[in-house]
Structures are given as structure tokens and as C-alpha cells.
Amino acid sequence: MPLALTFSAVMRPDAGNWPYALVDAWSGILTQTGRISATGVRTYLPAGGPGVMSSLGTHTLGY
């Protein structure tokens, strides 16, 4: 059965009027029963400065 998934997490501290925001986003597919292959990206956006995007690579999760 084909299955695609996405999920993300956001961290934005309250201290100091939100000094930065950090977002991780993942997209993946079920490659076989019990195994998911997913690729991630991280975005870092500091207050008043340029943002930075970086790859978190591709990882296989399984049980």
C-alpha cells in the first residue's frame, strides 16, 4: 500500500520577544512494511538577521 507522509516541528522561544524561530520539516514514504525513508530540512530564522536553511539528510526509520 503506498503511503506518503510529512511532519514538522516549530520552536520559537518566548524569552526576549522571540529571538529566533527554528523549523524542522520532514517528508517521506513507506518503502516497505515497517520502513519509512524520509528527507528533512531545517530553517533557522534569527530576529533581525538572515535565515539559514540546511539539509538534515535522508534517513530510514524502521522497527
Side-chain angles (χ1 to χ4, degrees), residues 35-58:
R35 296 224 181 261
I36 296 172
S37 181
T39 299
V41 64
R42 173 169 287 167
T43 303
Y44 174 73
L45 183 60
V52 177
M53 288 180 40
S54 58
S55 172
L56 297 173
T58 298

Side-chain angles (χ1 to χ4, degrees), residues 3-55:
L3 173 70
L5 61 106
T6 63
F7 59 93
S8 62
V10 178
M11 185 172 113
R12 185 173 65 179
D14 288 335
N17 204 16
W18 298 330
Y20 65 90
L22 182 67
V23 180
D24 287 359
W26 291 86
S27 179
I29 58 171
L30 182 69
T31 57
Q32 66 186 53
T33 301
R35 296 224 181 261
I36 296 172
S37 181
T39 299
V41 64
R42 173 169 287 167
T43 303
Y44 174 73
L45 183 60
V52 177
M53 288 180 40
S54 58
S55 172

